[in-house]
Amino acid sequence: MKSETVSDRGGEGMIARAAGFFKGGMGQKLILAAGLIGMALILLSQFWPEQKTTAAKSEQKTITTEEYITQTETKLGTLVGGIAGAGECKVMVTLENGVEYVYASENKVNTNREEDSGTNSSKLSQKDDSEQNIIIVDTENGKEGLLVTEIQPTVRGVVVVCEGGDKEDVRQRITQAVTTALNISSMRVCVVKAT
């Protein structure tokens, strides 16, 4: 005797109801309508704007050292100009190094082992050869290395020339603002009066 579980009976009931639905004209009409809607969506999808590939999405805007200096000087000029008593100002930023780019790479290591068994001793020599290749991707501008990160330059010093540079309290506020904004020591900031 075969035992029948509740889930078996429920499954057979669903199949019977589905078969009954499709036997009537209504089920066939629904399938036909769904097929037509699907074909219409495929046709319309050709008119939708194309999505950019993941390589293009992962593209990062790189910045040159000169652009970094110009942006930093402009931002600091706006910041210092907003400090009470500073007046009009000019800012100069010097850097210890330029912008550094880190690219994705793959490393290959080949190891050669040789064993030389002599009469009284055994000698083992091992030679490792490594090779590092930058991963290249296709972008809108052609083939480029896959950029992982961009390391911003280290600020060497900042010179601020402003109208209020001869007043000690103004110099202190400017120095504090610049050191906080750039995370540098006060020894790297010079504030002087404009002529």
Side-chain angles (χ1 to χ4, degrees), residues 3 7 14 25 63 66 111 164 183:
S3 66
S7 62
M14 285 179 48
I63 184 171
E66 291 79 23
T111 304
N183 195 25

Side-chain angles (χ1 to χ4, degrees), residues 25 63 89 110 115 140 145-146 157 165 176-177 180:
I63 184 171
C89 64
N110 296 323
E115 189 172 333
E140 293 174 353
L146 180 60
Q176 186 176 6
T180 301

